[in-house]
Amino acid sequence: MSLSNRVARFFAADGPLARTFPEYSPRSGQLQLAQAVAEALESGHHLAAEAGTGIGKSFAYLVPALLRANRKRPVVVSTATIALQEQLVDKDLPALALAAERPFKAVLAKGRGNYLCETRLQAALAHRDALAASEEDHEALDRLAERAARGGILTHSDLPLPLSHETWHHLNSESGLCGGPVCRKRPCSYLAARAGLAGADVIVVNHSLLFVSLELAAAGVKLLPAFEHLILDEAQHVPDTASEQAGLEASNARVTFLLDRLLSRKNKGFLARVRPEPLVLKNRVGSLRDIYDVFFSGLMMWRLQSPGNGRLVAPHPFRDPLSPALGELSELLENWARSADNADEQNEFVHYAALAKELAADIGVFLTQGLQESAYWVEVDTPRSTGARRVAARGAPLDIAPRLRALLFEKFRSVIMTSATLTAPGGPPFDYFLKRMGAEGVPTLRVPSPFDYFSKARILTTRVLPAPDRPEYLDVLPQQVSRCMDLTDGGAFVLVTSYTLLRRLKEALEPHARERGYLLLAQGQGTPRSRMLKSFKTHPRAVLLGAMSFWEGVDVPGSALRNVIITRLPFEVPDHPLAEARAERLRQRGGDPFREIALPVALMRLKQGFGRLHRRADDMGLVCILDSRVHTRPYGRLFLEGLPPCPVLCDEPPDPEFLERLRSWTASQQAGPETRI
């Protein structure tokens, strides 16, 4: 029986899912996607599939993956967000295990630095005064030692008590430090986790770990077992993740991290426990703090005084005392390694020498612009609460498509790319995404959402509000946002495209929120994102102001979120150095950066913002777009065409019947467990 037919039987009205879950009912879109994935896996071709919200996308690719996989050749599933990884591992795969016709093994793979190194833990316990950053860390080490004595795989998320990052980085597994003779004689969480990947049917990773493993595999180092089939969920993030992995970043934070691991200002770190005391090395680390401060201060002053965006179109003669000093530190560490008393200490010297050498090399590449077809820029973050600024020398390739083609499509038998947002109207729908992926010509599929948007949603737009590039826009926007908030009595996300606008809106909306009794929450004000979302979900009249990270990957089903207010169309900032360089390159080749880059990205982001409203079939509410350009600019219609089909109103309130249905639905909502198959 073909894989496609086996998949159809699994999703049938009398199949394993139906027999296991009484609430299950077949969905044509889910089956269509699942069979397309099955055909790609079986015949060995690639696929790009956009699946609207409510399709049941995860099951649609997991079922054929499990039916296809064998324990010699697992299927790897890669996601962009922790939330989706947790959904797959904690919810979807356990549910499938109940319905599966044979046992299967699914494993979550984490990056090496997440795992405890039991050998380093023993060394830390023996030298705790030289390593532990606080009294709390002393207690946490004791509790961790007790937990480790019971055996099993331990990761950072399993710590019995919170541990400072400084101390954790003396305990975690790390390439170059772990794997020696002592490690092989002792229980090892990382090696146990690696061994646990053997025989897996499905391995779940994130995009960052995936590309680290692919780059290492190209150099002959294997992190993951051999596999032929790869499923990329949230695939729209793949090019950016791959570009970041292929680029460079030499920052003052990275240098500080290295120096603090060697010897912090509190005299904690590796060198504090070395005997005899390495005074020469300690002094060199101290002098390096002044040297790197000179180097990064020079970068920062140039950036702050430069009228541009920090981009370097040609090598700049920055004063560089840092890379030679890092090179000298590396040589000193290598020399000291030769006289180390034991293999573990020797490994640490060699490891830190390699890190120093790598940092020096990256600075050299930045200063000489040694990566071809790349953009280079200096990045200076706004001061943190401590007053310190993060300064970074950055470089990234202008076009990641050739690298993706080599790492993915020329290597694996089938690569399945899926998401709720891969397409944009106004041309071949998958064109922008496939070009960025280096996947031109790959078969495509669009499966629309089964949700009844026409009866459950209204889009409110405006012609009268000034365009966002007009100075008066900021004066009248708060009043319009308040009006939209009142239509649903709160329960709203207010999505913005910059923290500057977010802060201005928060200040302007606070009096109205107090008057109406809304709970006003704002991103970037010190409250953790998870706590802010919990407050939003539990308060019946909350309003949350969120920047770009809230446009996607945030799941608030039910009546807590019944209004999404979009303040402006989500165009990418055009003067970001990398965006500017890519636009110049395209223009030189006769292309139109606005039509071919800026517009498709904004179209997909707006669709993601709209998607926050409907997470379940019974969800309903409003999407308010307070950007008049959807009506006044020629490209504006594309934004509305790209959204799910529902009534679009311009400068008029929703009909009273719809608002009454919305109020009744909100009042009748009761919190309860959600089941999605």
Side-chain angles (χ1 to χ4, degrees):
M1 183 184 295
S2 71
L3 183 59
S4 180
N5 288 338
R6 292 169 64 199
V7 165
R9 188 179 68 176
F10 202 92
F11 283 100
D14 59 351
L17 285 174
R19 292 194 298 270
T20 307
F21 303 103
E23 70 277 12
Y24 171 77
S25 60
R27 283 175 270 181
S28 60
Q30 187 178 49
L31 179 59
Q32 182 186 5
L33 176 59
Q35 289 187 303
V37 172
E39 290 166 6
L41 294 175
E42 190 163 48
S43 64
H45 68 255
H46 308 308
L47 174 70
E50 181 179 85
T53 307
I55 288 294
K57 168 167 56 72
S58 300
F59 269 35
Y61 63 68
L62 287 175
V63 169
L66 289 168
L67 293 175
R68 173 68 183 179
N70 64 72
R71 297 194 171 184
K72 293 181 180 179
R73 294 282 179 173
V75 175
V76 172
V77 177
S78 183
T79 76
T81 60
I82 293 173
L84 182 52
Q85 280 183 285
E86 291 176 345
Q87 177 192 312
L88 295 178
V89 174
D90 298 337
K91 179 182 174 185
D92 293 340
L93 285 163
L96 276 175
L98 298 175
E101 297 173 325
R102 69 168 178 88
F104 66 81
K105 181 180 179 182
V107 182
L108 172 64
K110 298 182 180 181
R112 182 169 193 158
N114 288 283
Y115 294 96
L116 174 72
C117 174
E118 282 76 1
T119 298
R120 298 186 78 197
L121 172 62
Q122 294 305 312
L125 291 169
H127 303 280
R128 64 172 65 218
D129 290 336
L131 299 178
S134 65
E135 288 300 320
E136 290 78 11
D137 277 1
H138 278 279
E139 184 180 356
L141 281 172
D142 288 333
R143 292 284 298 277
L144 180 57
E146 293 170 6
R147 173 63 185 84
R150 298 198 296 269
I153 296 173
L154 288 174
T155 70
H156 186 268
S157 59
D158 301 317
L159 294 175
L161 286 177
L163 194 66
S164 69
H165 287 297
E166 301 113 294
T167 302
W168 169 252
H169 286 299
H170 290 285
L171 307 177
N172 64 302
S173 180
E174 196 165 344
S175 177
L177 289 179
C178 302
V182 176
C183 277
R184 287 193 287 271
K185 294 177 182 178
R186 194 187 298 276
C188 173
S189 288
Y190 174 67
L191 292 180
R194 282 280 306 276
L197 297 178
D201 296 283
V202 170
I203 299 174
V204 180
V205 301
N206 61 49
H207 295 340
S208 294
L209 176 58
L210 173 69
F211 282 99
V212 167
S213 68
L214 292 178
E215 295 286 359
L216 287 174
V221 179
K222 289 187 178 181
L223 289 184
L224 298 174
F227 61 98
E228 297 177 326
H229 305 291
L230 173 63
I231 297 173
L232 301 169
D233 202 344
E234 300 174 311
Q236 73 273 17
H237 294 292
V238 167
D240 289 333
T241 302
S243 184
E244 187 173 327
Q245 292 285 346
L248 68 87
E249 176 183 342
S251 65
N252 55 356
R254 188 176 162 196
V255 179
T256 299
F257 180 71
L258 169 63
L259 298 183
D260 283 350
R261 291 181 70 183
L262 286 168
L263 190 71
S264 73
R265 294 183 188 274
K266 296 179 181 179
N267 202 36
K268 304 287 186 181
F270 168 62
L271 297 181
R273 64 178 173 85
V274 173
R275 294 293 179 270
E277 188 177 7
L279 287 176
V280 174
L281 275 171
K282 285 185 169 184
N283 291 335
R284 184 56 57 92
V285 168
S287 64
L288 255 167
R289 293 188 187 279
D290 296 329
I291 292 171
Y292 94 78
D293 205 31
V294 169
F295 176 72
F296 285 106
S297 293
L299 291 184
M300 183 175 69
M301 292 306 298
W302 176 85
R303 173 66 189 97
L304 296 178
Q305 294 171 4
S306 170
N309 56 8
R311 182 178 164 214
L312 294 156
V313 295
H316 186 84
F318 291 108
R319 183 184 169 205
D320 176 28
L322 181 57
S323 55
L326 285 167
E328 292 169 7
L329 174 66
S330 178
E331 289 181 11
L332 271 175
L333 288 164
E334 287 177 345
N335 290 338
W336 213 273
R338 298 187 186 101
S339 60
D341 288 339
N342 59 72
D344 289 334
E345 193 173 276
Q346 184 181 52
N347 284 342
E348 293 224 34
F349 276 118
V350 171
H351 177 67
Y352 292 126
L355 292 181
K357 186 179 293 185
E358 183 182 2
L359 253 173
D362 283 348
I363 293 169
V365 170
F366 171 80
L367 293 174
T368 61
Q369 299 197 357
L371 294 175
Q372 299 301 309
E373 291 289 303
S374 296
Y376 296 88
W377 69 98
V378 176
E379 200 169 77
V380 178
D381 289 353
T382 54
R384 300 188 292 273
S385 57
T386 59
R389 287 180 183 265
R390 180 179 172 280
V391 184
R394 299 286 306 274
L398 298 179
D399 184 8
I400 197 63
R403 189 64 181 151
L404 287 174
R405 195 177 299 119
L407 286 174
L408 300 177
F409 305 105
E410 295 174 0
K411 179 177 181 180
F412 296 111
R413 193 160 182 262
S414 57
V415 178
I416 313 296
M417 300 160 280
T418 187
S419 172
T421 49
L422 296 183
T423 66
F430 286 89
D431 193 49
Y432 173 75
F433 172 73
L434 293 180
K435 282 182 178 177
R436 284 210 74 196
M437 289 290 297
E440 295 94 329
V442 164
T444 60
L445 172 70
R446 295 179 74 183
V447 186
S449 170
F451 291 168
D452 181 11
Y453 292 103
F454 200 85
S455 68
K456 296 290 183 66
R458 298 290 184 271
I459 298 174
L460 309 187
T461 64
T462 181
R463 281 182 180 273
V464 299
L465 199 64
D469 57 357
R470 304 287 298 175
E472 58 268 28
Y473 168 79
L474 292 176
D475 296 328
V476 297
L477 179 63
Q479 180 183 351
Q480 295 297 318
V481 172
S482 297
R483 180 178 67 86
C484 291
M485 288 159 47
D486 293 345
L487 286 171
T488 55
D489 199 29
F493 273 8
V494 181
L495 300 182
V496 302
T497 56
S498 74
Y499 280 101
T500 301
L501 178 57
L502 188 150
R503 287 189 289 269
R504 290 192 60 168
L505 262 182
K506 178 180 182 292
E507 183 179 344
L509 293 173
E510 279 175 339
H512 184 74
R514 282 194 299 269
E515 179 185 335
R516 293 295 301 260
Y518 299 142
L519 172 66
L520 187 63
L521 303 164
Q523 187 181 4
Q525 305 296 302
T527 304
R529 172 188 169 112
S530 58
R531 191 188 308 166
M532 194 162 51
L533 276 172
K534 183 178 181 180
S535 298
F536 181 87
K537 291 176 181 179
T538 54
H539 194 288
R541 305 176 70 237
V543 175
L544 188 153
L545 280 69
M548 290 308 300
S549 64
F550 272 85
W551 288 67
E552 62 174 309
V554 179
D555 199 1
V556 185
S559 63
L561 178 58
R562 50 194 180 271
N563 192 349
V564 175
I565 303 168
I566 293 169
T567 54
R568 61 185 299 170
L569 299 177
F571 284 105
E572 197 172 40
V573 179
D575 64 348
H576 185 280
L578 185 56
E580 180 185 84
R582 285 173 173 163
E584 284 180 8
R585 181 175 181 268
L586 182 59
R587 200 177 291 113
Q588 290 167 0
R589 299 181 177 189
D592 180 348
F594 179 78
R595 289 282 175 182
E596 296 180 50
I597 299 177
L599 187 57
V601 170
L603 290 166
M604 288 191 283
R605 283 180 176 168
L606 184 69
K607 188 158 54 171
Q608 289 164 351
F610 182 100
R612 297 314 94 216
L613 183 67
H614 282 265
R615 311 309 300 164
R616 300 190 310 212
D618 63 339
D619 285 349
M620 66 184 303
L622 308 177
V623 174
C624 306
I625 303 176
L626 303 181
D627 192 327
S628 59
R629 291 177 293 179
V630 296
H631 293 296
T632 61
R633 300 292 170 86
Y635 57 77
R637 63 176 180 80
L638 296 177
F639 284 94
L640 298 178
E641 289 174 7
L643 298 179
C646 57
V648 178
L649 309 173
C650 182
D651 293 314
E652 58 180 300
D655 57 277
E657 184 272 335
F658 179 82
L659 285 178
E660 183 56 37
R661 282 199 295 123
L662 180 57
R663 292 189 189 101
S664 298
W665 171 75
T666 302
S668 66
Q669 281 283 292
Q670 294 181 353
E674 178 194 359
T675 302
R676 256 191 275 178
I677 302 297

